Amino acid sequence: MSSSSSWLTSPSCTLFPIDSSSSTPNPILQWLTFLFLSPCPQRLVLSALDFLFLLSLLALAAHKLYSTSNSTSSITKPLLQEKDSDYRITFWFKLPLLVTTLLAITYTVLGVLAFTQTNNVTSWKQIEALFRLFQAIVNIVILILMIHEKKFKSFKHPLSLRIYWVANFVIATLFAASAIVRIVTVSEEKMELSLRIDDIFSLVNLPLSVFFFVISIKGSSGIHVIRISDEVAIYPSISRDRTLSPYACSSFLSKSVWFWIIPLLNKGYKTPLNLEDVPSLPLEFRAEKISELFQNNWPKPDENTKSVEVLSVHHYNFHSQKLGMLIRSSIITSVYKKGLRLSSSSRQTHGTGQIVNHMAVDAQQLSDMMMQFHPIWLMPLQVTAALALIYSYIGVSALAAFLGTAVVFLFTTYRTKSSNSFQVQIMKSRDLRLKATSELLNNMRVIKFQAWEEYFGNKIQEFREAEHGWIGKFLYNFAVNFGVLSAATLVVTVLTFGTATFIGIRLNPGTFFPIISIIKILQEPLRTFPQALMMVSQATISLGRLDEFMTSEEMDENAVQKEQNCDDDVAVEIKDGKFSWDDNDENDGLRVDELEIKKGNHAAVVGTVGSGKSSLLASLLGEMFKISGKVRVCGTTAYVAQTSWIQNATIKENILFGLPMNMDKYMEALRVCCLEKDLEMMEYGDETEIGERGINLSGGQKQRIQLARAVYQDTDIYLLDDVFSAVDAQTGSFIFKECIMGTLKDKTVLLVTHQVDFLHNVDSIMVMREGRVVQSGKYDELLKAGLDFGALVAAHESSMEIEETGDKTSDDSAQTPKLARIALKEKESGGEKQFSQDQSNKTAAKLIEDEGRETGHVSLKVYKQYFTEAFGWWGIALVVAMSAGWVLSFLAGDYWLAIATSDDSGILSFTFIFVYAAIAVVACIVLIGRAFMYTYLGLKTSQSFFIGMLQSILHAPMSFFDTTPSGRILSRASTDILWVDITIPMFTNFVMIAYLSLFSILIVTCQNSWVTVFLVIPLVWLYNWYRKYYLATSRELTRLDSITKAPVIHHFSETLSGVMTIRSLRKQNEFCDENIDRVNASLRMDFHNNGANEWLGFRLDYMGVVFLCTATSFMIFFPSTIVKPEYVGMSLSYGLSLSGLLSFAITMSCNVENKMVSVERIKQFTNLPPEAPWKIADKSVPQNWPSHGTIELNNLQVRYRPNTPLVLKGVSLTIQGGEKVGVVGRTGSGKSTLIQVLFRLIEPSAGNIIIDGIDISTVGLHDLRSRFGIIPQDPVLFQGTVRTNIDPLGLYSEDEIWKSLERCQLKEVVAAKPEKLEALVVDGGDNWSVGQRQLLCLGRIMLKRSKILFMDEATASVDSQTDVVIQKIIRVDFADRTIISIAHRIPTVMDCDKVLVIDAGLAKEYEKPSHLVERASLFGALVKEYSNRST
């Protein structure tokens, strides 16, 4: 053997003599060959490398320890310990960790083998063993180091470890080279076994070393660190005010057995949870990330081993629920984002109610499907396995079981198909109901004014009846399925044993009870299968509905060319533009051949009602469907809508609208929009919270706040839609001069207005008629041309003629404008609407209080209300009796089996099967009857609850709607009613059966093996303790979950209302972030509740397994004198299902308590304090009342709530029958409050109101309100047709309706539509202009012809020409009627018999207008200001 080959195989560490005949005669090369290829030096080199690596780690650890002990500065603390980050473990961390673990184990095994090998060279044995164990130690250290990296979230491996892996790769290559040379050159018999094993290991180790070499070059540890600060930068909606959920940083063990949820459970057990007690979601589950990735990053359940069934089942449940939660999150956020992109016609098609249904119901059903998806394919596999086991006992008789199961399966599948059609109808009916409910809530003030609560209540109830009917069909169908599947075990058992007996197979207890146990185990998949089918059916329909919504037409982003920093001087340009409000209609509703507005110019758009003025602005914003042409806008835009859109936030937040505070700019915006005095008179100033839809502000205040919002945005182009309609003359003049011609003097402004007297100040005017620009030019040019513009100016001038007397007053009257500015400066001594008066009440700043909730256990009263709602205690007794009958029939069958198969039984096989079949038939009859009975009770209860809640809401006072966001009511009308309709009856059904079955099992087990009683007692105690411990937290999480869902719906409804404003100001991202914040707040309740659910289920199931094993041991080892052999099988067959049933019973009872929160919430709104009775039977007023229309106010004092200042401070006056009284005053002076008191929307604090000799406080509200006519400040139309809007109750003939339309100037418009009176009116009347809506509201009153008529800014949104015509018609048609008219247009009130000037809640002046303008008066000053404001 040559020296080189000797080195290859020799265990010696000594260099052989130099061989001069070798192929490598150079001594240095021979020495290197020995050093790197001989086994012993190789091991020394690698050991040296290992030693250096360990020494470097030790030195680093000592340095860290020294640095930490000698410094308390936060700079020396590891950044990764600051809990300001989260992390995600990737494949590149898990695989190296696994490989290192395997290497450590392998080196340890090789080291032990080296010690035990029979090698004659003792020194080599020691060297090999120590080398391998040293390698094992190094790999264990590396393993600890990698775990340390995970703990401190290190995203890179330490440099020392990376250098070690590179060097290790080089040495491993040498080891592999030596192994290859030895395998090729040395025969097997000449090489020792230990070296052969080393060579094989070296070759296997080489690819692993290559892998670590790649890892070292890459450097990444495979830990993806997510800095919360970075996430906040990327996703601004991530809040840092709450701690992250412990789940994010918990260990594998903690996640496996849900230790991470225990701190929250402890807190919930000690005290009821609040919102701030619940940790925020882990970053990977947050809505902003899920909505961004949607389907590409759906998390999948972690892989679980099959060794522990209980653990795997509960992890499956938890991860399924987690996946469902993420799906719900992505759907809600995606639906919200889609809502921001919807085109106008798509928005009208779907409506707010339907879209809310998508978010509240469809998203929930898709989420729930995740738990029920897998049983659909698992059930056939479980059945197949069970049939195979039965076949092993009784052979071909199992075919009977197979046929019986197949028939049941096919029957259920067929019945489920019919459920799909029921589901479709349920969802359609629910959409209609929620649309109608949303419409009712949004317009409740108008509905109460008109006394239409019963009409709209009946409308909602009709939709509910249809929905309830389809729910009934669906649930009865489900009851049949449930009954058949529950009876299937008995039927299959009879078929199986009957067939076995018929073909002569001998049956005994050893055959009976194992088969029965197998069939009982089948009960679970057979029971869950119909529920799973139902859930999948519901989810499929929801998915189809969502698909239809998500594929709806969107606003075309390219319809308008939006440019910044344009080179030319054109700001707005339209060429050959044709536009339509319908995406699928090629007939243009607006046509603009050419429009051009220069930068910095102020242009006005005028025209009669419905001429297309607002449409022109919409076309520039891209809100209309562009059929053809070119639209170009150069610069940023701000839009102020004709119908004010105000958020439920503070005044400051509404004005800033997401921008940072710039105090100078902010104060300027307040000044030029006349808001300074308003804020001074509000105790909390700009921190005062505005109610939903600006409910606690007057129309003028809302208009000026949204104008201030636009001014503060400081955009290039302003599109202002009739901003002066809701403000008085003086305020309008100030805003025009200081805001539009002042602050916005260098901006491009396009102003839609009916105020002709401002027009001579603008650069250009466009006159519109029938969707066309028919004239354009400067004021003087158009005036000379006459035509449409001339008619508008002429109408305005004719209305002003009556004011000329104001110019002939004495010299003293020259001071009246100054007096007016002092006395009539805009004061909010109270505000026209509720709650702005709460100056002494410190809660006034927060108008919308946080939603109240119960705490602690769900009251037994709630359970009693639910279970006794339908038929009282008799209903409960009947259901319990039928349930007990069912359980007893099952018990009878099992006892009959035990008796008939005992050794001393002489019962014939035919008799045995006949009696057993008879018991099965009785059980089936009882079961089906019980299922139908329970379904009927559930349906009747849910309908009773819904009607009770609806009636309570309809009878609630207006103050309830002012302070309650519609989202709170809609969440009860959607999600909570859904639980009461379907889920609660199903859960209570399961709980009752589970507890009765559990009771029967305990009886059987304890009767036949009484020793197990000593195990059952502690088991029941433990189960009950865990239930109480869990419920304390879960119940509060469920309540908080319900509370946090309402803001999501409310925010969405609010967003849809102001989508044009949001899009014009490019605030979509900010609103999406707000939506995400609210979704995350809701999801964190869901996530921790799911964790708590599985924490409970896991522990209950494990205790059940321990009990079953212990009880089985007792029954096997106890003598037959204690436990009879014939009952052991029966006891075990029951005991097998005991643990699962006990866990199921406890879990379902917890679910029932959680879902009972929905009953609790519904009951909160079923017992609302009502307003006064609608009708008083023994105090009905005469049929012709009021016959004269005389109104007397005697020391009328009004405050909105106790301990708040007076709004009206002792008003006393008399309005004679037939008089026309104009009411004027600054915005917020109390004008609209006076009307609310006359309609008794607010009750007087003192004084009284007498109408035709009757005190109105003694009259039923409907008797009172139905006798008055009113045109409210905000024109409201309802979804339906022109006919249903003008005559909702159907009291008038078609001729009368057409005459009314003619008088209100709408006959031609309606007649031009193909559908005539059946012409469509969409939700909110959005397909009609605001002016047309006001005229339709006027038409209602002209049709009704009440003796007393109230007009609250009735013609504010119509042009002067139309206003003049309408005023003349009113004077003729209502000549003998009493009319109280609130108006900001002075010409509107100038021809009234008297004028009432209200200021600071006092009646300052009440005389004929001609008398007031002849002397120094507040009204005279107002007239003077109005006539001079255009100069």
Side-chain angles (χ1 to χ4, degrees), residues 440 589 631 724 755 845 894 899 969 1058 1207 1307:
L440 171 83
V631 182
F724 302 113
Q755 310 297 325
D894 289 339
I899 294 168
I969 304 173
V1207 184
K1307 182 178 181 181

Side-chain angles (χ1 to χ4, degrees), residues 1026-1036 1150 1153-1154:
Y1026 268 109
R1027 179 182 183 276
K1028 289 180 179 178
Y1029 182 77
Y1030 156 80
L1031 262 181
T1033 298
S1034 180
R1035 183 175 50 241
E1036 299 308 316
C1150 292
E1153 175 132 358
N1154 287 337

Side-chain angles (χ1 to χ4, degrees), residues 319-360:
H319 287 290
S320 295
Q321 289 169 339
K322 186 175 75 178
L323 180 58
M325 178 192 76
L326 297 178
I327 289 173
R328 183 163 72 90
S329 162
S330 61
I331 288 171
I332 291 173
T333 50
S334 298
V335 166
Y336 183 87
K337 289 177 180 177
K338 180 70 177 182
L340 281 172
R341 299 193 304 268
L342 283 178
S343 68
S344 178
S345 62
S346 295
R347 203 163 59 247
Q348 291 176 8
T349 300
H350 292 284
T352 304
Q354 182 177 330
I355 303 175
V356 164
N357 218 2
H358 291 321
M359 299 180 82

Side-chain angles (χ1 to χ4, degrees), residues 153-173:
K153 308 168 191 169
S154 176
F155 63 92
K156 281 190 175 296
H157 291 298
L159 182 61
S160 56
L161 178 59
R162 294 165 63 189
I163 293 172
Y164 171 78
W165 276 338
V166 172
N168 184 273
F169 163 70
V170 175
I171 297 174
T173 305

Side-chain angles (χ1 to χ4, degrees), residues 788-861:
D788 294 65
F789 185 72
L792 286 171
V793 173
H796 173 70
E797 289 177 348
S798 66
S799 69
M800 294 293 294
E801 288 174 1
I802 194 168
E803 300 172 39
E804 291 177 359
T805 55
D807 296 328
K808 301 174 184 178
T809 55
S810 64
D811 293 339
D812 293 338
S813 67
Q815 300 299 318
T816 55
K818 185 175 179 180
L819 289 172
R821 288 185 176 88
I822 296 171
L824 285 173
K825 212 68 172 171
E826 287 206 50
K827 302 185 226 179
E828 277 307 326
S829 61
E832 297 175 21
K833 303 287 167 90
Q834 191 166 351
F835 303 111
S836 57
Q837 279 299 320
D838 299 349
Q839 298 176 6
S840 64
N841 188 345
K842 293 296 180 185
T843 62
K846 189 168 181 61
L847 175 71
I848 307 298
E849 297 294 339
D850 294 334
E851 184 172 357
R853 64 183 174 99
E854 304 291 336
T855 55
H857 291 284
V858 174
S859 168
L860 289 175
K861 183 182 178 183

